[in-house]
Amino acid sequence: MSLSIKFFFFIDIKHAIQTSVLSSRWRFIWTSMPYLNFSRDDFYRLPKFSEFVTRVLSGRDNQTEVSSVKLSNFHGKDSDVIVEQIMKYAFSHNIQQLNVACLPQKNVEFPPFRFSSRSLKHLSLTKENFLSYQRIYSCSYVFKATSTWELPVLTTLYLDGVTLCCDENTDKCIDFFSKCANLKNLTLKSCYTKGFKGLSICLPLLSNLTLEDGCGSVNVFNIVAPQLKNLNIRSVFTQDHQYLISAPDLAFLLYEGLVNLSLSTHGFLSLEKADICVSYPDDAHQVLRLLQLLHNSSLLHLTWKLLSFFLHPWN
């Protein structure tokens, strides 16, 4: 394949169609592009964009699989319908990578159809924010505990600004990822939880886990990951979370938070580095327990505030 043809695979679908008219040899290249990048940037009115999407999907060569789909800057009334239309098409054409960055106008249960794929390997879902307050007050995509997630080859999952919920309030730990057995990289950023107090992450192949700025009903994280190497926990909230961790191969631990890290584990026998940053430590005994749990680490870094509190806890 020539470089000129490969060029079409990495540009927005609208620009690919516009460029194809420059040469008769390129005229139908866009119909077999495995990469579909849709953006609302070039469409002032949503109906025009909806019409464009319909024409693109109906004009594609249906024998060509969809390797990757990227949806960005989706906002406005009824934009969620267009997202669903594109995703249904992609899932029926063996999609491997899906990146969605949208600002929904209402809470949308995601996925709005059966979320099942034996080809999807990478999934990223981000709630866009045009203003800072929208992160907290705007609507969100919603994953329910009863949602059907059958993604057996998924290796990377990135969720930013979505809602994880349970229809009935429960004290049980809920596992949203039990049917993603091959998941190796998981990031939950600014996710809101509702209706359950415990979140289970039990994944046999998980290697990298990031939990950042989560808030809501969950106060216990139950993590069972025998191959986990890197664990990053960051929080700008004062909510006290408890982490029950079984990860014997953990090599690196990073914690940045306002309050002490409440950690329960049988030990990190392979821990090489622990980086702990606490802004407002409030329990000297908890700090001691944490140091005991991390005693195997060959490199332990504590912030000045936490260390100062440990040395002078009653000042």
Side-chain angles (χ1 to χ4, degrees):
M1 185 180 296
S2 67
L3 290 176
S4 60
I5 295 178
K6 286 184 178 180
F7 164 77
F8 284 90
F9 293 169
F10 301 98
I11 62 175
D12 184 278
I13 184 65
K14 181 180 179 181
H15 295 127
I17 295 174
Q18 291 173 337
T19 306
S20 67
V21 302
L22 299 177
S23 169
S24 58
R25 188 167 63 94
W26 295 349
R27 183 177 179 184
F28 297 106
I29 287 180
W30 70 270
T31 64
S32 58
M33 288 173 54
Y35 306 98
L36 298 180
N37 299 327
F38 290 98
S39 174
R40 270 208 62 191
D41 285 344
D42 298 324
F43 295 87
Y44 180 73
R45 297 179 63 246
L46 188 64
K48 286 291 185 181
F49 182 57
S50 177
E51 180 182 347
F52 171 75
V53 169
T54 300
R55 287 184 176 181
V56 168
L57 298 184
S58 62
R60 281 193 85 250
D61 177 3
N62 275 324
Q63 301 303 313
T64 303
E65 294 185 349
V66 178
S67 175
S68 173
V69 170
K70 182 178 181 180
L71 312 178
S72 58
N73 296 326
F74 277 65
H75 56 89
K77 186 179 180 182
D78 298 327
S79 62
D80 305 320
V81 176
I82 303 176
V83 172
E84 179 180 347
Q85 177 189 6
I86 298 172
M87 289 180 59
K88 279 186 174 180
Y89 181 90
F91 273 71
S92 67
H93 287 76
N94 296 323
I95 184 174
Q96 296 182 29
Q97 182 168 340
L98 174 63
N99 296 280
V100 182
C102 300
L103 180 61
Q105 299 300 298
K106 59 182 179 180
N107 283 332
V108 178
E109 184 177 347
F110 187 94
F113 56 94
R114 184 177 174 85
F115 201 45
S116 176
S117 172
R118 295 192 175 276
S119 60
L120 188 65
K121 296 180 180 180
H122 302 268
L123 171 61
S124 174
L125 179 63
T126 302
K127 181 175 71 173
E128 290 185 322
N129 303 281
F130 301 109
L131 297 173
S132 60
Y133 68 82
Q134 288 178 321
R135 169 64 69 180
I136 301 175
Y137 297 106
S138 63
C139 297
S140 174
Y141 285 105
V142 178
F143 288 89
K144 289 188 176 181
T146 54
S147 296
T148 302
W149 287 47
E150 295 183 4
L151 304 171
V153 300
L154 189 71
T155 60
T156 300
L157 177 60
Y158 182 94
L159 300 179
D160 181 359
V162 307
T163 296
L164 305 174
C165 71
C166 187
D167 289 330
E168 298 181 1
N169 291 328
T170 178
D171 293 335
K172 296 180 180 179
C173 282
I174 302 297
D175 189 346
F176 286 83
F177 317 109
S178 61
K179 293 186 178 181
C180 304
N182 281 294
L183 201 59
K184 297 179 179 179
N185 306 290
L186 174 60
T187 297
L188 302 179
K189 180 179 179 181
S190 300
C191 290
Y192 178 72
T193 55
K194 180 181 179 182
F196 59 103
K197 294 185 178 180
L199 177 63
S200 284
I201 301 175
C202 303
L203 297 165
L205 300 182
L206 189 66
S207 180
N208 302 290
L209 175 61
T210 297
L211 305 173
E212 184 171 342
D213 296 340
C215 63
S217 61
V218 165
N219 52 39
V220 176
F221 289 87
N222 180 37
I223 301 170
V224 179
Q227 295 191 33
L228 187 65
K229 299 295 184 182
N230 301 292
L231 175 58
N232 297 278
I233 303 172
R234 296 182 175 90
S235 180
V236 297
F237 301 104
T238 57
Q239 184 176 356
D240 188 13
H241 290 131
Q242 184 178 8
Y243 299 90
L244 311 177
I245 304 175
S246 175
D249 283 349
L250 189 69
F252 175 70
L253 171 65
L254 169 68
Y255 175 77
E256 295 179 358
L258 297 181
V259 297
N260 291 333
L261 172 61
S262 179
L263 181 64
S264 177
T265 179
H266 294 300
F268 300 129
L269 302 180
S270 303
L271 193 63
E272 297 176 3
K273 181 181 179 181
D275 194 343
I276 310 298
C277 175
V278 180
S279 298
Y280 301 102
D282 57 2
D283 187 339
H285 298 291
Q286 191 171 3
V287 174
L288 280 173
R289 288 195 296 269
L290 180 61
L291 291 175
Q292 292 172 345
L293 290 171
L294 303 178
H295 75 277
N296 283 326
S297 175
S298 58
L299 179 59
L300 177 60
H301 177 251
L302 306 176
T303 63
W304 181 88
K305 286 185 178 180
L306 189 151
L307 185 58
S308 176
F309 174 78
F310 173 66
L311 294 175
H312 308 284
W314 294 282
N315 284 357

